[in-house]
mmCIF file of all heavy atoms in Angstrom:
data_model
loop_
_atom_site.group_PDB
_atom_site.id
_atom_site.type_symbol
_atom_site.label_atom_id
_atom_site.label_comp_id
_atom_site.label_asym_id
_atom_site.label_seq_id
_atom_site.Cartn_x
_atom_site.Cartn_y
_atom_site.Cartn_z
ATOM 1 N N GLY B 471 -7.938 17.284 -36.766
ATOM 2 C CA GLY B 471 -7.740 18.819 -36.716
ATOM 3 C C GLY B 471 -6.392 19.191 -36.207
ATOM 4 O O GLY B 471 -6.012 20.366 -36.359
ATOM 5 N N SER B 472 -5.713 18.287 -35.531
ATOM 6 C CA SER B 472 -4.362 18.592 -35.003
ATOM 7 C C SER B 472 -3.231 17.903 -35.836
ATOM 8 O O SER B 472 -3.536 16.896 -36.436
ATOM 9 C CB SER B 472 -4.237 18.142 -33.549
ATOM 10 O OG SER B 472 -5.177 18.836 -32.718
ATOM 11 N N PRO B 473 -2.020 18.413 -35.753
ATOM 12 C CA PRO B 473 -0.935 17.672 -36.442
ATOM 13 C C PRO B 473 -0.625 16.352 -35.690
ATOM 14 O O PRO B 473 -1.021 16.212 -34.570
ATOM 15 C CB PRO B 473 0.184 18.667 -36.380
ATOM 16 C CG PRO B 473 -0.106 19.496 -35.113
ATOM 17 C CD PRO B 473 -1.562 19.591 -35.047
ATOM 18 N N PRO B 474 0.076 15.436 -36.352
ATOM 19 C CA PRO B 474 0.565 14.240 -35.773
ATOM 20 C C PRO B 474 1.411 14.543 -34.498
ATOM 21 O O PRO B 474 2.196 15.450 -34.550
ATOM 22 C CB PRO B 474 1.322 13.491 -36.778
ATOM 23 C CG PRO B 474 0.794 14.100 -38.060
ATOM 24 C CD PRO B 474 0.509 15.528 -37.742
ATOM 25 N N PHE B 475 1.202 13.753 -33.457
ATOM 26 C CA PHE B 475 2.068 13.880 -32.305
ATOM 27 C C PHE B 475 3.018 12.660 -32.236
ATOM 28 O O PHE B 475 2.577 11.575 -31.995
ATOM 29 C CB PHE B 475 1.176 13.954 -31.026
ATOM 30 C CG PHE B 475 1.890 14.019 -29.732
ATOM 31 C CD1 PHE B 475 3.209 14.546 -29.591
ATOM 32 C CD2 PHE B 475 1.292 13.582 -28.546
ATOM 33 C CE1 PHE B 475 3.798 14.637 -28.398
ATOM 34 C CE2 PHE B 475 1.879 13.595 -27.358
ATOM 35 C CZ PHE B 475 3.226 14.158 -27.282
ATOM 36 N N VAL B 476 4.307 12.927 -32.553
ATOM 37 C CA VAL B 476 5.259 11.818 -32.690
ATOM 38 C C VAL B 476 6.018 11.601 -31.321
ATOM 39 O O VAL B 476 6.475 12.548 -30.714
ATOM 40 C CB VAL B 476 6.276 12.146 -33.822
ATOM 41 C CG1 VAL B 476 7.284 11.039 -33.960
ATOM 42 C CG2 VAL B 476 5.466 12.405 -35.132
ATOM 43 N N MET B 477 5.997 10.341 -30.976
ATOM 44 C CA MET B 477 6.761 9.952 -29.724
ATOM 45 C C MET B 477 7.733 8.844 -30.192
ATOM 46 O O MET B 477 7.506 7.676 -29.869
ATOM 47 C CB MET B 477 5.761 9.446 -28.696
ATOM 48 C CG MET B 477 4.765 10.526 -28.214
ATOM 49 S SD MET B 477 3.696 9.909 -26.886
ATOM 50 C CE MET B 477 2.724 8.713 -27.737
ATOM 51 N N SER B 478 8.798 9.279 -30.730
ATOM 52 C CA SER B 478 9.740 8.312 -31.358
ATOM 53 C C SER B 478 10.796 7.754 -30.385
ATOM 54 O O SER B 478 11.425 6.783 -30.622
ATOM 55 C CB SER B 478 10.473 8.937 -32.554
ATOM 56 O OG SER B 478 11.186 10.095 -32.063
ATOM 57 N N ASP B 479 10.822 8.346 -29.126
ATOM 58 C CA ASP B 479 11.781 7.905 -28.165
ATOM 59 C C ASP B 479 11.049 7.269 -26.907
ATOM 60 O O ASP B 479 10.455 7.976 -26.130
ATOM 61 C CB ASP B 479 12.650 9.040 -27.584
ATOM 62 C CG ASP B 479 13.737 8.622 -26.652
ATOM 63 O OD1 ASP B 479 13.687 7.481 -26.195
ATOM 64 O OD2 ASP B 479 14.552 9.460 -26.359
ATOM 65 N N PRO B 480 10.989 5.954 -26.866
ATOM 66 C CA PRO B 480 10.194 5.251 -25.771
ATOM 67 C C PRO B 480 10.740 5.557 -24.399
ATOM 68 O O PRO B 480 10.096 5.361 -23.350
ATOM 69 C CB PRO B 480 10.479 3.768 -26.104
ATOM 70 C CG PRO B 480 10.773 3.641 -27.555
ATOM 71 C CD PRO B 480 11.606 4.919 -27.774
ATOM 72 N N PHE B 481 12.020 6.142 -24.300
ATOM 73 C CA PHE B 481 12.527 6.492 -22.914
ATOM 74 C C PHE B 481 12.018 7.801 -22.414
ATOM 75 O O PHE B 481 12.142 8.158 -21.277
ATOM 76 C CB PHE B 481 14.033 6.546 -23.046
ATOM 77 C CG PHE B 481 14.699 5.119 -23.077
ATOM 78 C CD1 PHE B 481 15.214 4.667 -24.280
ATOM 79 C CD2 PHE B 481 14.811 4.414 -21.965
ATOM 80 C CE1 PHE B 481 15.780 3.457 -24.381
ATOM 81 C CE2 PHE B 481 15.403 3.137 -22.036
ATOM 82 C CZ PHE B 481 15.937 2.679 -23.303
ATOM 83 N N ARG B 482 11.427 8.620 -23.328
ATOM 84 C CA ARG B 482 10.916 9.881 -22.898
ATOM 85 C C ARG B 482 9.413 9.801 -22.475
ATOM 86 O O ARG B 482 8.712 8.966 -22.938
ATOM 87 C CB ARG B 482 11.016 10.932 -24.051
ATOM 88 C CG ARG B 482 12.396 11.339 -24.352
ATOM 89 C CD ARG B 482 12.388 12.547 -25.288
ATOM 90 N NE ARG B 482 11.667 13.708 -24.676
ATOM 91 C CZ ARG B 482 11.108 14.653 -25.396
ATOM 92 N NH1 ARG B 482 11.108 14.671 -26.739
ATOM 93 N NH2 ARG B 482 10.426 15.608 -24.762
ATOM 94 N N THR B 483 9.029 10.656 -21.523
ATOM 95 C CA THR B 483 7.688 10.663 -21.062
ATOM 96 C C THR B 483 6.734 11.569 -21.904
ATOM 97 O O THR B 483 5.501 11.376 -21.920
ATOM 98 C CB THR B 483 7.607 11.114 -19.588
ATOM 99 O OG1 THR B 483 7.980 12.478 -19.505
ATOM 100 C CG2 THR B 483 8.438 10.241 -18.727
#
Side-chain angles (χ1 to χ4, degrees):
Chain B
S472 297
F475 177 25
V476 179
M477 297 186 290
S478 60
D479 184 351
F481 286 103
R482 288 192 59 204
T483 62

